[in-house]
Amino acid sequence: MKFDIKKLSIEEKVTLLTGKEWWRLDSLDGKLPELEMHDGPHGCRRVIYTMENGKIVSRERFSSTAMPSLAVVANTWNTELARLDGETIADEFVEYGKDVLLGPGVNIKRTPLCGRNFEYFSEDPYLSGTMGRAFIEGAESRGVSACVKHYCANNREYDRDYQSSEVDERTLREIYLTPFELALEGKPGCLMTSYNPINGIYASENEYLMNILRNEFGFGGVVMSDWYGVRESGRAHRAGLDVEMPFRTDAYGQVMRAYEAGELSIETIDAEVTRLVELMEKARESRRNGSVKRTHEQRHEIAREIAEEGIVLLKNEDGILPLKSGKIHVSGSGAKSPAIGGGGSSTIQTDYEIRHLGDEIKDILGDAVTILTEKSIFRTNGKVVAGNRVPYTAYDADTVVLSFGTDATIEFEDADRTSLRLPKSMEDIIVETADVNENVVIVLYSGSAIDVSPWIDRVKALLYIGYGGEGIQEATARVLCGKVSPSGKLAETFPMCLEDTPTGSYRGNGFVDRYTEGVFVGYRYYDSYKKNVRFPFGFGLSYAEFEYSDMTVKKHSETDYTVSFTVTNKSDITAKEVAELYVKDVFSAVSRPEKELKGFAKIELAPGESKRVELKLAERAFAYYSVFQKKWYVENGAFEILVGSSSRDIRLKARVDISLPASEQVTFVVH
Ligand code: GLC
């Protein structure tokens, strides 16, 4: 039975527009159903704050399943796993009686310095939005409301509460709004505005962006603020914010003053109250009908499966991987305790005991290997010392596996990195170990791109595992030992160095961060400006070899095509491959990127097996946002359809000529 909000007084309605304590909505003393929300995109983060008079007086933290970070989910390029990730986290929300899952974050990785990149999917809007939509569909399938965040252009943590993201309209549309537009197709119950202003107006008070959300993207759910992300509550609700989180003592007065001054209409208030009541009633239904579907062990297995498919093999010289036999030295900070997540509101406390990587390898390879670990004594320049320099047993090991990376003290919410390098001590150990042993394999965990230049040429293999959640150690061992072929691909470019990135070390002037690079973000920048990169967007090696052939492009209309091609596994092992589809506007009246991702598919192939892949291209795959026409626009002319194993490994090409009626064209461009 739907609650009739006419029964509510104006005082009750205004009360509802601000959260109750930290995680809840105000149920008006039981008149309305309870609703509780929690972070986050990496698991059911149960941190319980007790508040009194708007102040936190205590905090309790409980354990949950630590799922892989969204950056790792993106590196799987597997929408089924993204959906399974959202559904698995939601299953834990059902078990603990929580109603709203504060995630996924779909913010674009504009700079690898951003402290929260581990929490986001990609530098590409299509991949970000597609993975975000799948995650949302998974969560919503369990009756748990997802909350897509942070709307929008929140691409740094530095000065996030004040510094305005200054973005031109076309860039805003093509790069920073598209991930939300695509993710919203997954119909999340909620969306969260970001802390930062956009073009001088705070996201939580930004009528322009709220109108796009409601009137163009058709979002009918609840818009909540980020925590303490509202500057003035009357202005925020006038712009269309539904609820300010968390409870703030001044909020009620500011809203009531705006209402009494005629600055905030009862129609606006009623619309916001209606959406909140609908969300609360949805929560009540879900609590009544919801049932837990998975055990903690099953959730752990899913965490491992996702982590495994998110592992990216970046280098594998002389086929040193997979490991097979002999004396294998395993050490490094990650051998014992790899970072399974970054710092901040997405941090999950897990009870799962992460084992030593050497033990996991031994479990798989058994008597074929002798594992030497860092427990052994160390020797430097002939002197036997205990310490953290070259591991002694690295000297005569057949293969040395060093696991290093950043962690939650380096990549965390509310701050950005200032360097892309690993800690110097780690770089030194890698280089000095390579001095004494030529067979070094690096296992790298980090939330975002790392500048590997000091040591990459000294090692034979590099396996990038990201912040892979509680199942990462088993996943890493399984890939290292060839139980499964690596199938992850980079959703974020690894540049040669920080100076080569579009924004370099610049981070705004404290008031404004001007997005001067425009649409040229990530590979759109590196490819368009022909810049070398260390590892390109969409890149990842396999233990198998794949062949691409027989591409056909079927034209259904001027802007509607079906692209088909065959992928063949030329090796003697079963493996998965991600095939990527890019579109290039050959001649354009506006500056457009060298290529843009517009489709992808992940397929499993048995040895020698071939599969036909079919991908659709519709109008938006060819369009750019025309500012003067205020719409997405396809100009006539030639377009290249590119199919590849990465953005810089194009295997098949085709060309289509779009010829829409002249009456629909606004500019005549030499085709
Ligand atoms: C944080 C984050 C947001 C999170 C919220 C609640 O500041 O920006 O992602 O969901 O507050 O913890």
Side-chain angles (χ1 to χ4, degrees), residues 510-542:
F511 297 95
V512 177
D513 182 3
R514 182 156 174 66
Y515 286 34
T516 52
E517 75 284 357
V519 297
F520 299 97
V521 174
Y523 71 93
R524 286 172 167 79
Y525 171 74
Y526 302 116
D527 292 2
S528 303
Y529 292 89
K530 307 275 182 280
K531 291 192 84 78
N532 281 337
V533 295
R534 181 69 64 188
F535 302 113
F537 175 80
F539 174 77
L541 298 173
S542 169

PDB file of all heavy atoms in Angstrom, residues 510-542:
ATOM      1  N   GLY A 510      43.666  25.258  -6.644  1.00  0.00           N
ATOM      2  CA  GLY A 510      42.978  25.322  -5.355  1.00  0.00           C
ATOM      3  C   GLY A 510      41.579  25.884  -5.486  1.00  0.00           C
ATOM      4  O   GLY A 510      40.728  25.667  -4.632  1.00  0.00           O
ATOM      5  N   PHE A 511      41.323  26.598  -6.606  1.00  0.00           N
ATOM      6  CA  PHE A 511      39.964  27.115  -6.848  1.00  0.00           C
ATOM      7  C   PHE A 511      39.363  26.406  -8.059  1.00  0.00           C
ATOM      8  O   PHE A 511      38.217  26.017  -8.083  1.00  0.00           O
ATOM      9  CB  PHE A 511      40.006  28.622  -7.137  1.00  0.00           C
ATOM     10  CG  PHE A 511      40.525  29.417  -5.979  1.00  0.00           C
ATOM     11  CD1 PHE A 511      41.861  29.778  -5.907  1.00  0.00           C
ATOM     12  CD2 PHE A 511      39.675  29.753  -4.939  1.00  0.00           C
ATOM     13  CE1 PHE A 511      42.344  30.497  -4.823  1.00  0.00           C
ATOM     14  CE2 PHE A 511      40.148  30.476  -3.851  1.00  0.00           C
ATOM     15  CZ  PHE A 511      41.493  30.848  -3.794  1.00  0.00           C
ATOM     16  N   VAL A 512      40.189  26.282  -9.114  1.00  0.00           N
ATOM     17  CA  VAL A 512      39.666  25.715 -10.365  1.00  0.00           C
ATOM     18  C   VAL A 512      40.658  24.708 -10.946  1.00  0.00           C
ATOM     19  O   VAL A 512      41.870  24.955 -10.943  1.00  0.00           O
ATOM     20  CB  VAL A 512      39.429  26.835 -11.414  1.00  0.00           C
ATOM     21  CG1 VAL A 512      38.968  26.235 -12.741  1.00  0.00           C
ATOM     22  CG2 VAL A 512      38.398  27.831 -10.893  1.00  0.00           C
ATOM     23  N   ASP A 513      40.165  23.580 -11.380  1.00  0.00           N
ATOM     24  CA  ASP A 513      40.968  22.613 -12.134  1.00  0.00           C
ATOM     25  C   ASP A 513      40.374  22.600 -13.535  1.00  0.00           C
ATOM     26  O   ASP A 513      39.288  22.071 -13.758  1.00  0.00           O
ATOM     27  CB  ASP A 513      40.853  21.225 -11.501  1.00  0.00           C
ATOM     28  CG  ASP A 513      41.723  20.201 -12.223  1.00  0.00           C
ATOM     29  OD1 ASP A 513      42.453  20.595 -13.164  1.00  0.00           O
ATOM     30  OD2 ASP A 513      41.660  19.012 -11.859  1.00  0.00           O
ATOM     31  N   ARG A 514      41.068  23.255 -14.467  1.00  0.00           N
ATOM     32  CA  ARG A 514      40.506  23.421 -15.804  1.00  0.00           C
ATOM     33  C   ARG A 514      40.845  22.222 -16.674  1.00  0.00           C
ATOM     34  O   ARG A 514      42.011  21.841 -16.769  1.00  0.00           O
ATOM     35  CB  ARG A 514      41.072  24.709 -16.419  1.00  0.00           C
ATOM     36  CG  ARG A 514      40.539  25.040 -17.779  1.00  0.00           C
ATOM     37  CD  ARG A 514      40.638  26.534 -18.122  1.00  0.00           C
ATOM     38  NE  ARG A 514      40.236  26.763 -19.508  1.00  0.00           N
ATOM     39  CZ  ARG A 514      39.004  26.577 -19.962  1.00  0.00           C
ATOM     40  NH1 ARG A 514      38.054  26.180 -19.130  1.00  0.00           N
ATOM     41  NH2 ARG A 514      38.705  26.782 -21.223  1.00  0.00           N
ATOM     42  N   TYR A 515      39.873  21.570 -17.252  1.00  0.00           N
ATOM     43  CA  TYR A 515      40.074  20.347 -18.026  1.00  0.00           C
ATOM     44  C   TYR A 515      40.501  20.710 -19.449  1.00  0.00           C
ATOM     45  O   TYR A 515      39.762  20.528 -20.410  1.00  0.00           O
ATOM     46  CB  TYR A 515      38.795  19.529 -18.035  1.00  0.00           C
ATOM     47  CG  TYR A 515      38.478  18.814 -16.731  1.00  0.00           C
ATOM     48  CD1 TYR A 515      38.805  19.370 -15.503  1.00  0.00           C
ATOM     49  CD2 TYR A 515      37.844  17.572 -16.715  1.00  0.00           C
ATOM     50  CE1 TYR A 515      38.518  18.718 -14.308  1.00  0.00           C
ATOM     51  CE2 TYR A 515      37.551  16.901 -15.526  1.00  0.00           C
ATOM     52  CZ  TYR A 515      37.899  17.496 -14.319  1.00  0.00           C
ATOM     53  OH  TYR A 515      37.604  16.838 -13.135  1.00  0.00           O
ATOM     54  N   THR A 516      41.722  21.245 -19.542  1.00  0.00           N
ATOM     55  CA  THR A 516      42.165  21.787 -20.838  1.00  0.00           C
ATOM     56  C   THR A 516      42.346  20.695 -21.895  1.00  0.00           C
ATOM     57  O   THR A 516      42.324  20.966 -23.074  1.00  0.00           O
ATOM     58  CB  THR A 516      43.529  22.501 -20.669  1.00  0.00           C
ATOM     59  OG1 THR A 516      44.405  21.583 -20.005  1.00  0.00           O
ATOM     60  CG2 THR A 516      43.397  23.765 -19.842  1.00  0.00           C
ATOM     61  N   GLU A 517      42.503  19.450 -21.464  1.00  0.00           N
ATOM     62  CA  GLU A 517      42.734  18.380 -22.446  1.00  0.00           C
ATOM     63  C   GLU A 517      41.448  18.017 -23.174  1.00  0.00           C
ATOM     64  O   GLU A 517      41.427  17.281 -24.141  1.00  0.00           O
ATOM     65  CB  GLU A 517      43.343  17.141 -21.783  1.00  0.00           C
ATOM     66  CG  GLU A 517      42.408  16.309 -20.952  1.00  0.00           C
ATOM     67  CD  GLU A 517      42.091  16.943 -19.585  1.00  0.00           C
ATOM     68  OE1 GLU A 517      42.646  18.015 -19.262  1.00  0.00           O
ATOM     69  OE2 GLU A 517      41.259  16.374 -18.861  1.00  0.00           O
ATOM     70  N   GLY A 518      40.298  18.523 -22.674  1.00  0.00           N
ATOM     71  CA  GLY A 518      39.022  18.266 -23.364  1.00  0.00           C
ATOM     72  C   GLY A 518      38.704  16.775 -23.409  1.00  0.00           C
ATOM     73  O   GLY A 518      38.896  16.053 -22.433  1.00  0.00           O
ATOM     74  N   VAL A 519      38.298  16.293 -24.569  1.00  0.00           N
ATOM     75  CA  VAL A 519      37.900  14.880 -24.687  1.00  0.00           C
ATOM     76  C   VAL A 519      39.120  13.966 -24.763  1.00  0.00           C
ATOM     77  O   VAL A 519      38.977  12.751 -24.793  1.00  0.00           O
ATOM     78  CB  VAL A 519      37.006  14.658 -25.924  1.00  0.00           C
ATOM     79  CG1 VAL A 519      35.711  15.428 -25.832  1.00  0.00           C
ATOM     80  CG2 VAL A 519      37.762  15.009 -27.201  1.00  0.00           C
ATOM     81  N   PHE A 520      40.306  14.546 -24.804  1.00  0.00           N
ATOM     82  CA  PHE A 520      41.527  13.739 -24.991  1.00  0.00           C
ATOM     83  C   PHE A 520      42.046  13.210 -23.658  1.00  0.00           C
ATOM     84  O   PHE A 520      43.063  13.678 -23.127  1.00  0.00           O
ATOM     85  CB  PHE A 520      42.565  14.555 -25.768  1.00  0.00           C
ATOM     86  CG  PHE A 520      42.066  14.936 -27.128  1.00  0.00           C
ATOM     87  CD1 PHE A 520      41.514  16.193 -27.338  1.00  0.00           C
ATOM     88  CD2 PHE A 520      42.055  14.018 -28.163  1.00  0.00           C
ATOM     89  CE1 PHE A 520      40.994  16.531 -28.581  1.00  0.00           C
ATOM     90  CE2 PHE A 520      41.535  14.344 -29.409  1.00  0.00           C
ATOM     91  CZ  PHE A 520      40.996  15.608 -29.619  1.00  0.00           C
ATOM     92  N   VAL A 521      41.305  12.235 -23.149  1.00  0.00           N
ATOM     93  CA  VAL A 521      41.604  11.616 -21.852  1.00  0.00           C
ATOM     94  C   VAL A 521      42.085  10.185 -22.080  1.00  0.00           C
ATOM     95  O   VAL A 521      41.562   9.489 -22.958  1.00  0.00           O
ATOM     96  CB  VAL A 521      40.310  11.583 -20.994  1.00  0.00           C
ATOM     97  CG1 VAL A 521      40.518  10.836 -19.701  1.00  0.00           C
ATOM     98  CG2 VAL A 521      39.813  13.004 -20.725  1.00  0.00           C
ATOM     99  N   GLY A 522      43.101   9.770 -21.335  1.00  0.00           N
ATOM    100  CA  GLY A 522      43.576   8.389 -21.438  1.00  0.00           C
ATOM    101  C   GLY A 522      44.077   8.094 -22.829  1.00  0.00           C
ATOM    102  O   GLY A 522      44.748   8.930 -23.449  1.00  0.00           O
ATOM    103  N   TYR A 523      43.688   6.910 -23.404  1.00  0.00           N
ATOM    104  CA  TYR A 523      44.188   6.544 -24.732  1.00  0.00           C
ATOM    105  C   TYR A 523      43.727   7.514 -25.794  1.00  0.00           C
ATOM    106  O   TYR A 523      44.364   7.657 -26.841  1.00  0.00           O
ATOM    107  CB  TYR A 523      43.775   5.111 -25.074  1.00  0.00           C
ATOM    108  CG  TYR A 523      42.302   4.931 -25.352  1.00  0.00           C
ATOM    109  CD1 TYR A 523      41.797   4.993 -26.642  1.00  0.00           C
ATOM    110  CD2 TYR A 523      41.408   4.715 -24.316  1.00  0.00           C
ATOM    111  CE1 TYR A 523      40.440   4.834 -26.893  1.00  0.00           C
ATOM    112  CE2 TYR A 523      40.048   4.565 -24.549  1.00  0.00           C
ATOM    113  CZ  TYR A 523      39.563   4.625 -25.843  1.00  0.00           C
ATOM    114  OH  TYR A 523      38.212   4.478 -26.078  1.00  0.00           O
ATOM    115  N   ARG A 524      42.613   8.222 -25.549  1.00  0.00           N
ATOM    116  CA  ARG A 524      42.190   9.249 -26.506  1.00  0.00           C
ATOM    117  C   ARG A 524      43.280  10.309 -26.668  1.00  0.00           C
ATOM    118  O   ARG A 524      43.488  10.865 -27.730  1.00  0.00           O
ATOM    119  CB  ARG A 524      40.888   9.896 -26.033  1.00  0.00           C
ATOM    120  CG  ARG A 524      39.646   9.030 -26.204  1.00  0.00           C
ATOM    121  CD  ARG A 524      38.444   9.661 -25.528  1.00  0.00           C
ATOM    122  NE  ARG A 524      37.188   9.047 -25.913  1.00  0.00           N
ATOM    123  CZ  ARG A 524      36.732   7.899 -25.426  1.00  0.00           C
ATOM    124  NH1 ARG A 524      37.477   7.239 -24.534  1.00  0.00           N
ATOM    125  NH2 ARG A 524      35.588   7.380 -25.823  1.00  0.00           N
ATOM    126  N   TYR A 525      44.014  10.560 -25.586  1.00  0.00           N
ATOM    127  CA  TYR A 525      45.124  11.529 -25.620  1.00  0.00           C
ATOM    128  C   TYR A 525      46.376  10.875 -26.216  1.00  0.00           C
ATOM    129  O   TYR A 525      46.936  11.343 -27.207  1.00  0.00           O
ATOM    130  CB  TYR A 525      45.402  12.011 -24.202  1.00  0.00           C
ATOM    131  CG  TYR A 525      46.644  12.839 -24.031  1.00  0.00           C
ATOM    132  CD1 TYR A 525      46.692  14.152 -24.472  1.00  0.00           C
ATOM    133  CD2 TYR A 525      47.787  12.285 -23.447  1.00  0.00           C
ATOM    134  CE1 TYR A 525      47.833  14.918 -24.301  1.00  0.00           C
ATOM    135  CE2 TYR A 525      48.934  13.051 -23.289  1.00  0.00           C
ATOM    136  CZ  TYR A 525      48.952  14.353 -23.715  1.00  0.00           C
ATOM    137  OH  TYR A 525      50.092  15.095 -23.553  1.00  0.00           O
ATOM    138  N   TYR A 526      46.801   9.753 -25.640  1.00  0.00           N
ATOM    139  CA  TYR A 526      48.069   9.150 -26.070  1.00  0.00           C
ATOM    140  C   TYR A 526      48.021   8.779 -27.558  1.00  0.00           C
ATOM    141  O   TYR A 526      48.988   8.978 -28.292  1.00  0.00           O
ATOM    142  CB  TYR A 526      48.364   7.914 -25.237  1.00  0.00           C
ATOM    143  CG  TYR A 526      48.428   8.183 -23.753  1.00  0.00           C
ATOM    144  CD1 TYR A 526      47.498   7.613 -22.879  1.00  0.00           C
ATOM    145  CD2 TYR A 526      49.388   9.037 -23.217  1.00  0.00           C
ATOM    146  CE1 TYR A 526      47.542   7.874 -21.522  1.00  0.00           C
ATOM    147  CE2 TYR A 526      49.428   9.297 -21.856  1.00  0.00           C
ATOM    148  CZ  TYR A 526      48.500   8.723 -21.022  1.00  0.00           C
ATOM    149  OH  TYR A 526      48.536   8.977 -19.676  1.00  0.00           O
ATOM    150  N   ASP A 527      46.877   8.234 -28.011  1.00  0.00           N
ATOM    151  CA  ASP A 527      46.806   7.799 -29.418  1.00  0.00           C
ATOM    152  C   ASP A 527      46.694   8.991 -30.359  1.00  0.00           C
ATOM    153  O   ASP A 527      47.311   9.013 -31.419  1.00  0.00           O
ATOM    154  CB  ASP A 527      45.605   6.865 -29.620  1.00  0.00           C
ATOM    155  CG  ASP A 527      45.793   5.541 -28.898  1.00  0.00           C
ATOM    156  OD1 ASP A 527      46.837   5.384 -28.226  1.00  0.00           O
ATOM    157  OD2 ASP A 527      44.925   4.653 -28.980  1.00  0.00           O
ATOM    158  N   SER A 528      45.910   9.985 -29.957  1.00  0.00           N
ATOM    159  CA  SER A 528      45.704  11.146 -30.847  1.00  0.00           C
ATOM    160  C   SER A 528      46.989  11.962 -30.992  1.00  0.00           C
ATOM    161  O   SER A 528      47.256  12.539 -32.033  1.00  0.00           O
ATOM    162  CB  SER A 528      44.582  12.034 -30.311  1.00  0.00           C
ATOM    163  OG  SER A 528      43.395  11.269 -30.176  1.00  0.00           O
ATOM    164  N   TYR A 529      47.796  11.983 -29.939  1.00  0.00           N
ATOM    165  CA  TYR A 529      49.045  12.767 -29.973  1.00  0.00           C
ATOM    166  C   TYR A 529      50.262  11.867 -30.195  1.00  0.00           C
ATOM    167  O   TYR A 529      51.393  12.268 -29.952  1.00  0.00           O
ATOM    168  CB  TYR A 529      49.183  13.597 -28.686  1.00  0.00           C
ATOM    169  CG  TYR A 529      48.151  14.699 -28.606  1.00  0.00           C
ATOM    170  CD1 TYR A 529      46.911  14.461 -28.028  1.00  0.00           C
ATOM    171  CD2 TYR A 529      48.376  15.948 -29.196  1.00  0.00           C
ATOM    172  CE1 TYR A 529      45.938  15.437 -27.984  1.00  0.00           C
ATOM    173  CE2 TYR A 529      47.403  16.936 -29.163  1.00  0.00           C
ATOM    174  CZ  TYR A 529      46.182  16.672 -28.552  1.00  0.00           C
ATOM    175  OH  TYR A 529      45.216  17.643 -28.513  1.00  0.00           O
ATOM    176  N   LYS A 530      49.975  10.612 -30.616  1.00  0.00           N
ATOM    177  CA  LYS A 530      51.051   9.669 -30.973  1.00  0.00           C
ATOM    178  C   LYS A 530      52.128   9.552 -29.893  1.00  0.00           C
ATOM    179  O   LYS A 530      53.329   9.608 -30.187  1.00  0.00           O
ATOM    180  CB  LYS A 530      51.689  10.118 -32.302  1.00  0.00           C
ATOM    181  CG  LYS A 530      50.694  10.330 -33.448  1.00  0.00           C
ATOM    182  CD  LYS A 530      50.378   9.051 -34.185  1.00  0.00           C
ATOM    183  CE  LYS A 530      49.420   9.275 -35.362  1.00  0.00           C
ATOM    184  NZ  LYS A 530      47.988   9.364 -34.873  1.00  0.00           N
ATOM    185  N   LYS A 531      51.673   9.479 -28.664  1.00  0.00           N
ATOM    186  CA  LYS A 531      52.650   9.382 -27.559  1.00  0.00           C
ATOM    187  C   LYS A 531      52.914   7.918 -27.229  1.00  0.00           C
ATOM    188  O   LYS A 531      51.984   7.104 -27.196  1.00  0.00           O
ATOM    189  CB  LYS A 531      52.109  10.089 -26.307  1.00  0.00           C
ATOM    190  CG  LYS A 531      52.019  11.592 -26.450  1.00  0.00           C
ATOM    191  CD  LYS A 531      51.762  12.281 -25.129  1.00  0.00           C
ATOM    192  CE  LYS A 531      53.040  12.512 -24.343  1.00  0.00           C
ATOM    193  NZ  LYS A 531      53.867  13.631 -24.785  1.00  0.00           N
ATOM    194  N   ASN A 532      54.166   7.594 -26.972  1.00  0.00           N
ATOM    195  CA  ASN A 532      54.449   6.238 -26.510  1.00  0.00           C
ATOM    196  C   ASN A 532      53.824   6.020 -25.146  1.00  0.00           C
ATOM    197  O   ASN A 532      53.745   6.968 -24.351  1.00  0.00           O
ATOM    198  CB  ASN A 532      55.969   6.056 -26.361  1.00  0.00           C
ATOM    199  CG  ASN A 532      56.611   5.817 -27.728  1.00  0.00           C
ATOM    200  OD1 ASN A 532      55.936   5.378 -28.659  1.00  0.00           O
ATOM    201  ND2 ASN A 532      57.884   6.135 -27.852  1.00  0.00           N
ATOM    202  N   VAL A 533      53.395   4.798 -24.914  1.00  0.00           N
ATOM    203  CA  VAL A 533      52.929   4.442 -23.578  1.00  0.00           C
ATOM    204  C   VAL A 533      53.632   3.161 -23.168  1.00  0.00           C
ATOM    205  O   VAL A 533      54.120   2.413 -24.013  1.00  0.00           O
ATOM    206  CB  VAL A 533      51.397   4.231 -23.530  1.00  0.00           C
ATOM    207  CG1 VAL A 533      50.667   5.527 -23.821  1.00  0.00           C
ATOM    208  CG2 VAL A 533      50.964   3.131 -24.488  1.00  0.00           C
ATOM    209  N   ARG A 534      53.683   2.890 -21.880  1.00  0.00           N
ATOM    210  CA  ARG A 534      54.323   1.664 -21.410  1.00  0.00           C
ATOM    211  C   ARG A 534      53.452   0.459 -21.764  1.00  0.00           C
ATOM    212  O   ARG A 534      53.890  -0.475 -22.389  1.00  0.00           O
ATOM    213  CB  ARG A 534      54.553   1.736 -19.905  1.00  0.00           C
ATOM    214  CG  ARG A 534      55.225   0.542 -19.327  1.00  0.00           C
ATOM    215  CD  ARG A 534      56.657   0.406 -19.754  1.00  0.00           C
ATOM    216  NE  ARG A 534      57.498   1.505 -19.278  1.00  0.00           N
ATOM    217  CZ  ARG A 534      58.747   1.696 -19.637  1.00  0.00           C
ATOM    218  NH1 ARG A 534      59.295   0.923 -20.516  1.00  0.00           N
ATOM    219  NH2 ARG A 534      59.457   2.699 -19.179  1.00  0.00           N
ATOM    220  N   PHE A 535      52.182   0.493 -21.320  1.00  0.00           N
ATOM    221  CA  PHE A 535      51.217  -0.574 -21.653  1.00  0.00           C
ATOM    222  C   PHE A 535      49.899   0.085 -22.034  1.00  0.00           C
ATOM    223  O   PHE A 535      49.341   0.844 -21.240  1.00  0.00           O
ATOM    224  CB  PHE A 535      51.010  -1.506 -20.457  1.00  0.00           C
ATOM    225  CG  PHE A 535      52.271  -2.156 -19.953  1.00  0.00           C
ATOM    226  CD1 PHE A 535      52.770  -1.838 -18.692  1.00  0.00           C
ATOM    227  CD2 PHE A 535      52.973  -3.047 -20.748  1.00  0.00           C
ATOM    228  CE1 PHE A 535      53.946  -2.419 -18.226  1.00  0.00           C
ATOM    229  CE2 PHE A 535      54.149  -3.634 -20.292  1.00  0.00           C
ATOM    230  CZ  PHE A 535      54.640  -3.316 -19.032  1.00  0.00           C
ATOM    231  N   PRO A 536      49.429  -0.147 -23.263  1.00  0.00           N
ATOM    232  CA  PRO A 536      48.245   0.578 -23.756  1.00  0.00           C
ATOM    233  C   PRO A 536      46.921   0.143 -23.140  1.00  0.00           C
ATOM    234  O   PRO A 536      46.804  -0.957 -22.617  1.00  0.00           O
ATOM    235  CB  PRO A 536      48.234   0.300 -25.249  1.00  0.00           C
ATOM    236  CG  PRO A 536      49.139  -0.834 -25.489  1.00  0.00           C
ATOM    237  CD  PRO A 536      50.009  -1.020 -24.302  1.00  0.00           C
ATOM    238  N   PHE A 537      45.952   1.021 -23.241  1.00  0.00           N
ATOM    239  CA  PHE A 537      44.563   0.697 -22.869  1.00  0.00           C
ATOM    240  C   PHE A 537      44.115  -0.558 -23.613  1.00  0.00           C
ATOM    241  O   PHE A 537      44.380  -0.713 -24.808  1.00  0.00           O
ATOM    242  CB  PHE A 537      43.658   1.873 -23.244  1.00  0.00           C
ATOM    243  CG  PHE A 537      42.192   1.621 -23.029  1.00  0.00           C
ATOM    244  CD1 PHE A 537      41.633   1.727 -21.779  1.00  0.00           C
ATOM    245  CD2 PHE A 537      41.372   1.250 -24.095  1.00  0.00           C
ATOM    246  CE1 PHE A 537      40.280   1.489 -21.579  1.00  0.00           C
ATOM    247  CE2 PHE A 537      40.027   1.004 -23.901  1.00  0.00           C
ATOM    248  CZ  PHE A 537      39.478   1.114 -22.645  1.00  0.00           C
ATOM    249  N   GLY A 538      43.498  -1.483 -22.871  1.00  0.00           N
ATOM    250  CA  GLY A 538      42.991  -2.691 -23.509  1.00  0.00           C
ATOM    251  C   GLY A 538      44.027  -3.772 -23.708  1.00  0.00           C
ATOM    252  O   GLY A 538      43.745  -4.817 -24.298  1.00  0.00           O
ATOM    253  N   PHE A 539      45.262  -3.542 -23.198  1.00  0.00           N
ATOM    254  CA  PHE A 539      46.356  -4.506 -23.381  1.00  0.00           C
ATOM    255  C   PHE A 539      46.396  -5.534 -22.265  1.00  0.00           C
ATOM    256  O   PHE A 539      46.157  -5.221 -21.097  1.00  0.00           O
ATOM    257  CB  PHE A 539      47.692  -3.758 -23.403  1.00  0.00           C
ATOM    258  CG  PHE A 539      48.897  -4.652 -23.451  1.00  0.00           C
ATOM    259  CD1 PHE A 539      49.274  -5.265 -24.635  1.00  0.00           C
ATOM    260  CD2 PHE A 539      49.653  -4.911 -22.304  1.00  0.00           C
ATOM    261  CE1 PHE A 539      50.392  -6.091 -24.687  1.00  0.00           C
ATOM    262  CE2 PHE A 539      50.758  -5.741 -22.343  1.00  0.00           C
ATOM    263  CZ  PHE A 539      51.135  -6.338 -23.534  1.00  0.00           C
ATOM    264  N   GLY A 540      46.694  -6.767 -22.644  1.00  0.00           N
ATOM    265  CA  GLY A 540      46.913  -7.839 -21.666  1.00  0.00           C
ATOM    266  C   GLY A 540      47.341  -9.085 -22.437  1.00  0.00           C
ATOM    267  O   GLY A 540      46.730  -9.425 -23.451  1.00  0.00           O
ATOM    268  N   LEU A 541      48.432  -9.739 -21.974  1.00  0.00           N
ATOM    269  CA  LEU A 541      48.911 -10.947 -22.642  1.00  0.00           C
ATOM    270  C   LEU A 541      48.154 -12.169 -22.129  1.00  0.00           C
ATOM    271  O   LEU A 541      47.450 -12.104 -21.126  1.00  0.00           O
ATOM    272  CB  LEU A 541      50.417 -11.120 -22.379  1.00  0.00           C
ATOM    273  CG  LEU A 541      51.335 -10.008 -22.918  1.00  0.00           C
ATOM    274  CD1 LEU A 541      52.770 -10.229 -22.429  1.00  0.00           C
ATOM    275  CD2 LEU A 541      51.279  -9.958 -24.438  1.00  0.00           C
ATOM    276  N   SER A 542      48.306 -13.265 -22.861  1.00  0.00           N
ATOM    277  CA  SER A 542      47.673 -14.523 -22.484  1.00  0.00           C
ATOM    278  C   SER A 542      48.730 -15.614 -22.573  1.00  0.00           C
ATOM    279  O   SER A 542      49.806 -15.399 -23.145  1.00  0.00           O
ATOM    280  CB  SER A 542      46.521 -14.804 -23.459  1.00  0.00           C
ATOM    281  OG  SER A 542      46.046 -16.125 -23.299  1.00  0.00           O
TER     282      SER A 542
END
